[in-house]
Amino acid sequence: MTMETARVVEQGRHQRVVSRVGHASSSSKVRYQVKQGIRKRKWSRKIQHPLSLAPPSTVPTPLQQLFDACRHVFKGHGTVPLPHHVHKLCHILDDMRPEDIGLSRNLQFFKPKAVVKGTPRVTYTTIYECNKFSLCCFFIPANGVIPLHNHPDMTVFSKLLLGKMHIKSYDWVDPVNSDGSTPAPQLRLAELKADSVFTAPCNASVLYPTKGGNIHAFTAITPCAVLDVIGPPYSKEDGRDCSYYKDHPYAAYSNGGAAVTEEKRDCYGWLEEIEMPENAKMDIIEYLGPQVSETSS
């Protein structure tokens, strides 16, 4: 073999190697694979998943710390975390960033090019769940709504990771069933606890079984990601089913017998329990972010 022939062979071998590497790089992206017949395969559009894939061995310290703390804090049905445990969880959540659960700020979800008509659907993913607590993340498009709902016998920590949203929350004035002091059995007096706009990054909020805004609603102003720590999770078997409500101004039924001074009327409202609204239905996606280790502590 002449030196010129050897050079041509070597150039050809290098081109084949580069071709294989380039193909592997493009195909490593997460895509839908559509089979057509037996011999042909077609790659369709790239999946726009809110969470990025991470190596199984890579566990961000904040997420693992949150998980480990939850295992020590939440004791199951009928218990409420102690104040120093609440402080510990809030401290961890306050420092958490979107990247800690595999979120990228550059995803198209957070930078939509077109305005969605109607009420867009909310999507959620479960990071971890057991009978004592759950970690989940909600992805709420702009104008998306999680309607007014309750958390019976539950303590919930919410951390707005990305976006800007309006939060409205209530607590029952009388946490026990009304004895007839309200104008109608389906209406109950509630005290307004929050009616404000929150912008990430901000500190975590906490609601308790009977205080802190146990009944709340989220309305996204921009695309939002909300990390929730719930203990214990919803469970119909244990009497923790979700109920939905419609709120009415206090003045609309002010002659119902509840004594509220004129200057405080805006701080109260009547809540009417309703069937599950259409916009309460959510889409579920698989969690593809960093995993937690159950053997770390």
Side-chain angles (χ1 to χ4, degrees):
M1 179 184 296
T2 66
M3 291 185 64
E4 183 62 28
T5 302
R7 186 182 302 110
V8 171
V9 171
E10 181 62 28
Q11 289 177 347
R13 182 182 299 113
H14 174 71
Q15 289 174 353
R16 287 194 298 274
V17 171
V18 171
S19 176
R20 287 197 297 270
V21 172
H23 178 72
S25 175
S26 63
S27 64
S28 64
K29 297 179 181 178
V30 182
R31 298 173 183 266
Y32 286 114
Q33 180 179 337
V34 181
K35 293 184 178 180
Q36 301 209 348
I38 297 177
R39 290 181 290 180
K40 294 184 178 180
R41 289 190 301 179
K42 181 180 178 181
W43 297 96
S44 65
R45 64 180 179 83
K46 182 170 64 175
I47 296 175
Q48 284 294 328
H49 196 291
L51 295 171
S52 59
L53 287 169
S57 60
T58 303
V59 180
T61 300
L63 179 59
Q64 187 65 49
Q65 285 182 339
L66 177 64
F67 172 75
D68 291 339
C70 287
R71 289 207 294 177
H72 288 94
V73 167
F74 293 105
K75 305 302 182 183
H77 177 69
T79 63
V80 177
L82 297 173
H84 67 280
H85 286 154
V86 171
H87 176 78
K88 180 178 181 179
L89 284 179
C90 285
H91 179 72
I92 296 172
L93 285 166
D94 289 345
D95 292 337
M96 289 193 71
R97 305 169 302 156
E99 294 79 9
D100 293 326
I101 62 168
L103 271 177
S104 170
R105 302 167 188 267
N106 297 320
L107 284 167
Q108 185 178 346
F109 175 83
F110 299 107
K111 299 180 179 180
K113 296 180 180 179
V115 177
V116 178
K117 295 181 180 180
T119 302
R121 299 260 294 201
V122 175
T123 301
Y124 80 94
T125 188
T126 299
I127 300 172
Y128 179 87
E129 184 173 46
C130 64
N131 61 354
K132 293 183 179 179
F133 70 92
S134 67
L135 307 176
C136 53
C137 190
F138 296 86
F139 305 101
I140 314 173
N143 300 318
V145 174
I146 298 180
L148 202 61
H149 63 285
N150 69 343
H151 302 81
D153 298 323
M154 301 156 72
T155 303
V156 181
F157 298 75
S158 294
K159 166 70 175 181
L160 180 61
L161 293 171
L162 284 170
K164 183 177 182 179
M165 68 161 47
H166 177 265
I167 299 177
K168 192 173 189 179
S169 65
Y170 292 91
D171 282 333
W172 296 121
V173 171
D174 180 2
V176 183
N177 288 336
S178 173
D179 59 359
S181 59
T182 55
Q186 69 271 22
L187 294 176
R188 289 179 62 185
L189 186 64
E191 183 180 2
L192 185 66
K193 306 302 293 186
D195 190 10
S196 305
V197 172
F198 295 81
T199 303
C202 58
N203 290 340
S205 61
V206 188
L207 62 85
Y208 300 90
T210 59
K211 63 179 182 178
N214 185 277
I215 306 164
H216 67 191
F218 294 162
T219 302
I221 298 173
T222 67
C224 295
V226 183
L227 175 63
D228 265 11
V229 179
I230 305 174
Y234 285 107
S235 171
K236 289 184 179 181
E237 292 76 13
D238 294 326
R240 296 190 302 274
D241 196 9
C242 186
S243 298
Y244 296 90
Y245 300 90
K246 179 180 180 181
D247 57 344
H248 302 274
Y250 176 82
Y253 301 95
S254 58
N255 60 347
V260 175
T261 59
E262 186 70 30
E263 61 271 18
K264 290 186 176 181
R265 289 190 172 192
D266 290 341
C267 299
Y268 293 85
W270 299 103
L271 300 191
E272 175 188 3
E273 186 171 350
I274 60 175
E275 295 294 327
M276 180 179 180
E278 183 64 27
N279 60 355
K281 298 177 181 178
M282 302 182 186
D283 294 325
I284 305 173
I285 56 174
E286 180 184 4
Y287 174 66
L288 298 179
Q291 302 297 307
V292 294
S293 171
E294 297 187 72
T295 60
S296 63
S297 63

